[in-house]
Amino acid sequence: RVLALEIIEGKGLPAADTGGTSDPYCLVEVYRGVDSLPLGSGEPLFHTDTVLKTLNPLWNGKADMRLPDDAWELAISVWDFDKYGDHDFLGWVRVLLGSMPLEQDQEAWLALDP
């Protein structure tokens, strides 16, 4: 199965940097079988570019991702890029693959869980 994914933009993200902005990017991971879901334990598939100094990034990130046969969930996490030190977690959303028909285009705004 191939999933064509487009991550267009974010709105009202939390500020993680001094000056009241963030340098956000998205990371897409797939979870297989009945994996537990600690963030970062999935298989990375794609990440957007980092957009500097904004809480409303326009990513326009596109990817065609080959999904493993036992893929059951995607996790899309948003991070604040830091040149030095660990990147700051801003939130994430989980998408159950069985709940969406992959043969049809889907468009949705997804709210991040902190």
Side-chain angles (χ1 to χ4, degrees):
R1 296 184 297 170
V2 175
L3 173 67
L5 179 68
E6 184 172 3
I7 299 176
I8 300 170
E9 64 183 314
K11 296 266 187 205
L13 297 178
D17 295 337
T18 56
T21 63
S22 289
D23 304 315
Y25 68 93
C26 294
L27 173 66
V28 179
E29 297 173 288
V30 65
Y31 290 83
R32 305 163 71 123
V34 290
D35 290 344
S36 59
L37 263 180
L39 187 61
S41 67
E43 178 182 330
L45 293 179
F46 169 71
H47 66 83
T48 65
D49 291 335
T50 300
V51 181
L52 301 177
K53 299 186 184 317
T54 184
L55 302 179
N56 301 298
L58 183 61
W59 288 298
N60 285 325
K62 297 179 184 181
D64 291 327
M65 300 177 292
R66 183 163 302 284
L67 297 176
D69 289 339
D70 59 348
W72 68 284
E73 188 166 36
L74 289 181
I76 303 170
S77 55
V78 181
W79 297 84
D80 169 60
F81 175 83
D82 288 323
K83 188 172 183 177
Y84 303 105
D86 293 334
H87 299 201
D88 301 309
F89 175 73
L90 300 178
W92 73 326
V93 64
R94 296 163 55 177
V95 179
L96 291 172
L97 295 172
S99 69
M100 55 190 280
L102 298 180
E103 315 77 45
Q104 299 175 21
D105 289 348
Q106 303 283 319
E107 184 175 327
W109 279 94
L110 303 173
L112 295 178
D113 290 328

mmCIF file of all heavy atoms in Angstrom, residues 54-73:
data_model
loop_
_atom_site.group_PDB
_atom_site.id
_atom_site.type_symbol
_atom_site.label_atom_id
_atom_site.label_comp_id
_atom_site.label_asym_id
_atom_site.label_seq_id
_atom_site.Cartn_x
_atom_site.Cartn_y
_atom_site.Cartn_z
ATOM 1 N N THR A 54 7.828 30.982 13.639
ATOM 2 C CA THR A 54 6.399 31.128 13.366
ATOM 3 C C THR A 54 5.588 30.192 14.253
ATOM 4 O O THR A 54 6.081 29.162 14.696
ATOM 5 C CB THR A 54 6.074 30.844 11.879
ATOM 6 O OG1 THR A 54 4.677 31.105 11.655
ATOM 7 C CG2 THR A 54 6.394 29.421 11.490
ATOM 8 N N LEU A 55 4.351 30.562 14.484
ATOM 9 C CA LEU A 55 3.382 29.692 15.147
ATOM 10 C C LEU A 55 2.325 29.208 14.156
ATOM 11 O O LEU A 55 1.424 28.460 14.516
ATOM 12 C CB LEU A 55 2.710 30.430 16.313
ATOM 13 C CG LEU A 55 3.653 30.957 17.390
ATOM 14 C CD1 LEU A 55 2.867 31.684 18.479
ATOM 15 C CD2 LEU A 55 4.494 29.843 17.984
ATOM 16 N N ASN A 56 2.433 29.678 12.914
ATOM 17 C CA ASN A 56 1.490 29.335 11.854
ATOM 18 C C ASN A 56 2.257 28.908 10.597
ATOM 19 O O ASN A 56 2.229 29.604 9.581
ATOM 20 C CB ASN A 56 0.577 30.530 11.549
ATOM 21 C CG ASN A 56 -0.196 30.965 12.775
ATOM 22 O OD1 ASN A 56 -0.985 30.202 13.321
ATOM 23 N ND2 ASN A 56 0.042 32.185 13.217
ATOM 24 N N PRO A 57 2.947 27.779 10.664
ATOM 25 C CA PRO A 57 3.821 27.389 9.552
ATOM 26 C C PRO A 57 3.061 26.941 8.312
ATOM 27 O O PRO A 57 2.000 26.329 8.398
ATOM 28 C CB PRO A 57 4.615 26.216 10.132
ATOM 29 C CG PRO A 57 3.691 25.630 11.155
ATOM 30 C CD PRO A 57 2.964 26.799 11.753
ATOM 31 N N LEU A 58 3.621 27.246 7.168
ATOM 32 C CA LEU A 58 3.154 26.738 5.892
ATOM 33 C C LEU A 58 4.217 25.757 5.406
ATOM 34 O O LEU A 58 5.293 26.162 4.985
ATOM 35 C CB LEU A 58 2.967 27.882 4.889
ATOM 36 C CG LEU A 58 2.406 27.502 3.532
ATOM 37 C CD1 LEU A 58 1.020 26.885 3.666
ATOM 38 C CD2 LEU A 58 2.356 28.719 2.622
ATOM 39 N N TRP A 59 3.922 24.449 5.536
ATOM 40 C CA TRP A 59 4.900 23.420 5.197
ATOM 41 C C TRP A 59 4.787 22.974 3.741
ATOM 42 O O TRP A 59 5.779 22.743 3.090
ATOM 43 C CB TRP A 59 4.730 22.195 6.094
ATOM 44 C CG TRP A 59 5.166 22.384 7.493
ATOM 45 C CD1 TRP A 59 6.434 22.672 7.938
ATOM 46 C CD2 TRP A 59 4.356 22.278 8.661
ATOM 47 N NE1 TRP A 59 6.454 22.744 9.304
ATOM 48 C CE2 TRP A 59 5.176 22.506 9.774
ATOM 49 C CE3 TRP A 59 3.007 22.007 8.880
ATOM 50 C CZ2 TRP A 59 4.703 22.471 11.080
ATOM 51 C CZ3 TRP A 59 2.533 21.973 10.171
ATOM 52 C CH2 TRP A 59 3.379 22.212 11.253
ATOM 53 N N ASN A 60 3.582 22.745 3.261
ATOM 54 C CA ASN A 60 3.364 22.184 1.930
ATOM 55 C C ASN A 60 4.241 20.958 1.689
ATOM 56 O O ASN A 60 4.842 20.807 0.626
ATOM 57 C CB ASN A 60 3.573 23.235 0.833
ATOM 58 C CG ASN A 60 2.413 24.192 0.759
ATOM 59 O OD1 ASN A 60 1.264 23.813 0.967
ATOM 60 N ND2 ASN A 60 2.708 25.451 0.495
ATOM 61 N N GLY A 61 4.320 20.089 2.699
ATOM 62 C CA GLY A 61 5.119 18.871 2.599
ATOM 63 C C GLY A 61 4.317 17.753 1.965
ATOM 64 O O GLY A 61 3.179 17.497 2.351
ATOM 65 N N LYS A 62 4.906 17.093 0.967
ATOM 66 C CA LYS A 62 4.229 15.998 0.264
ATOM 67 C C LYS A 62 5.137 14.787 0.227
ATOM 68 O O LYS A 62 6.346 14.920 0.025
ATOM 69 C CB LYS A 62 3.893 16.400 -1.166
ATOM 70 C CG LYS A 62 2.935 17.543 -1.286
ATOM 71 C CD LYS A 62 2.693 17.878 -2.738
ATOM 72 C CE LYS A 62 1.803 19.109 -2.859
ATOM 73 N NZ LYS A 62 1.530 19.447 -4.256
ATOM 74 N N ALA A 63 4.537 13.608 0.392
ATOM 75 C CA ALA A 63 5.303 12.369 0.303
ATOM 76 C C ALA A 63 4.396 11.223 -0.091
ATOM 77 O O ALA A 63 3.239 11.161 0.331
ATOM 78 C CB ALA A 63 5.970 12.063 1.636
ATOM 79 N N ASP A 64 4.924 10.325 -0.908
ATOM 80 C CA ASP A 64 4.285 9.043 -1.184
ATOM 81 C C ASP A 64 5.028 8.024 -0.340
ATOM 82 O O ASP A 64 6.228 7.818 -0.532
ATOM 83 C CB ASP A 64 4.381 8.678 -2.662
ATOM 84 C CG ASP A 64 3.528 9.576 -3.540
ATOM 85 O OD1 ASP A 64 2.463 10.016 -3.062
ATOM 86 O OD2 ASP A 64 3.925 9.836 -4.689
ATOM 87 N N MET A 65 4.329 7.422 0.613
ATOM 88 C CA MET A 65 4.973 6.529 1.575
ATOM 89 C C MET A 65 4.468 5.111 1.383
ATOM 90 O O MET A 65 3.258 4.879 1.381
ATOM 91 C CB MET A 65 4.665 7.004 3.002
ATOM 92 C CG MET A 65 5.162 8.404 3.280
ATOM 93 S SD MET A 65 4.715 8.987 4.924
ATOM 94 C CE MET A 65 2.951 9.124 4.762
ATOM 95 N N ARG A 66 5.385 4.186 1.221
ATOM 96 C CA ARG A 66 5.018 2.770 1.158
ATOM 97 C C ARG A 66 4.786 2.293 2.581
ATOM 98 O O ARG A 66 5.670 2.377 3.426
ATOM 99 C CB ARG A 66 6.114 1.957 0.490
ATOM 100 C CG ARG A 66 5.730 0.487 0.348
ATOM 101 C CD ARG A 66 6.589 -0.238 -0.642
ATOM 102 N NE ARG A 66 6.591 0.314 -1.976
ATOM 103 C CZ ARG A 66 5.597 0.169 -2.877
ATOM 104 N NH1 ARG A 66 4.515 -0.511 -2.547
ATOM 105 N NH2 ARG A 66 5.699 0.687 -4.070
ATOM 106 N N LEU A 67 3.578 1.816 2.848
ATOM 107 C CA LEU A 67 3.219 1.358 4.185
ATOM 108 C C LEU A 67 3.468 -0.141 4.315
ATOM 109 O O LEU A 67 3.129 -0.907 3.402
ATOM 110 C CB LEU A 67 1.748 1.647 4.478
ATOM 111 C CG LEU A 67 1.338 3.113 4.498
ATOM 112 C CD1 LEU A 67 -0.164 3.217 4.695
ATOM 113 C CD2 LEU A 67 2.082 3.885 5.570
ATOM 114 N N PRO A 68 4.017 -0.579 5.438
ATOM 115 C CA PRO A 68 4.140 -2.022 5.666
ATOM 116 C C PRO A 68 2.750 -2.661 5.701
ATOM 117 O O PRO A 68 1.757 -2.006 6.050
ATOM 118 C CB PRO A 68 4.806 -2.116 7.041
ATOM 119 C CG PRO A 68 5.314 -0.756 7.352
ATOM 120 C CD PRO A 68 4.543 0.215 6.542
ATOM 121 N N ASP A 69 2.667 -3.933 5.355
ATOM 122 C CA ASP A 69 1.379 -4.634 5.341
ATOM 123 C C ASP A 69 0.690 -4.602 6.694
ATOM 124 O O ASP A 69 -0.536 -4.584 6.775
ATOM 125 C CB ASP A 69 1.560 -6.087 4.898
ATOM 126 C CG ASP A 69 1.902 -6.180 3.414
ATOM 127 O OD1 ASP A 69 1.609 -5.226 2.666
ATOM 128 O OD2 ASP A 69 2.467 -7.214 3.024
ATOM 129 N N ASP A 70 1.483 -4.617 7.776
ATOM 130 C CA ASP A 70 0.887 -4.637 9.113
ATOM 131 C C ASP A 70 0.792 -3.245 9.744
ATOM 132 O O ASP A 70 0.596 -3.109 10.943
ATOM 133 C CB ASP A 70 1.648 -5.599 10.032
ATOM 134 C CG ASP A 70 3.119 -5.237 10.180
ATOM 135 O OD1 ASP A 70 3.618 -4.384 9.406
ATOM 136 O OD2 ASP A 70 3.779 -5.809 11.063
ATOM 137 N N ALA A 71 0.913 -2.185 8.924
ATOM 138 C CA ALA A 71 0.774 -0.815 9.441
ATOM 139 C C ALA A 71 -0.659 -0.610 9.912
ATOM 140 O O ALA A 71 -1.607 -0.934 9.201
ATOM 141 C CB ALA A 71 1.123 0.199 8.369
ATOM 142 N N TRP A 72 -0.821 -0.062 11.122
ATOM 143 C CA TRP A 72 -2.180 0.149 11.618
ATOM 144 C C TRP A 72 -2.415 1.572 12.106
ATOM 145 O O TRP A 72 -3.541 1.994 12.271
ATOM 146 C CB TRP A 72 -2.520 -0.850 12.722
ATOM 147 C CG TRP A 72 -1.769 -0.662 14.002
ATOM 148 C CD1 TRP A 72 -0.471 -0.990 14.247
ATOM 149 C CD2 TRP A 72 -2.261 -0.091 15.204
ATOM 150 N NE1 TRP A 72 -0.124 -0.659 15.519
ATOM 151 C CE2 TRP A 72 -1.208 -0.102 16.143
ATOM 152 C CE3 TRP A 72 -3.490 0.432 15.596
ATOM 153 C CZ2 TRP A 72 -1.334 0.389 17.438
ATOM 154 C CZ3 TRP A 72 -3.623 0.922 16.890
ATOM 155 C CH2 TRP A 72 -2.552 0.889 17.791
ATOM 156 N N GLU A 73 -1.339 2.344 12.300
ATOM 157 C CA GLU A 73 -1.542 3.698 12.810
ATOM 158 C C GLU A 73 -0.379 4.589 12.387
ATOM 159 O O GLU A 73 0.773 4.158 12.346
ATOM 160 C CB GLU A 73 -1.641 3.656 14.332
ATOM 161 C CG GLU A 73 -2.044 4.955 14.961
ATOM 162 C CD GLU A 73 -2.456 4.796 16.414
ATOM 163 O OE1 GLU A 73 -1.852 3.972 17.126
ATOM 164 O OE2 GLU A 73 -3.375 5.499 16.825
#
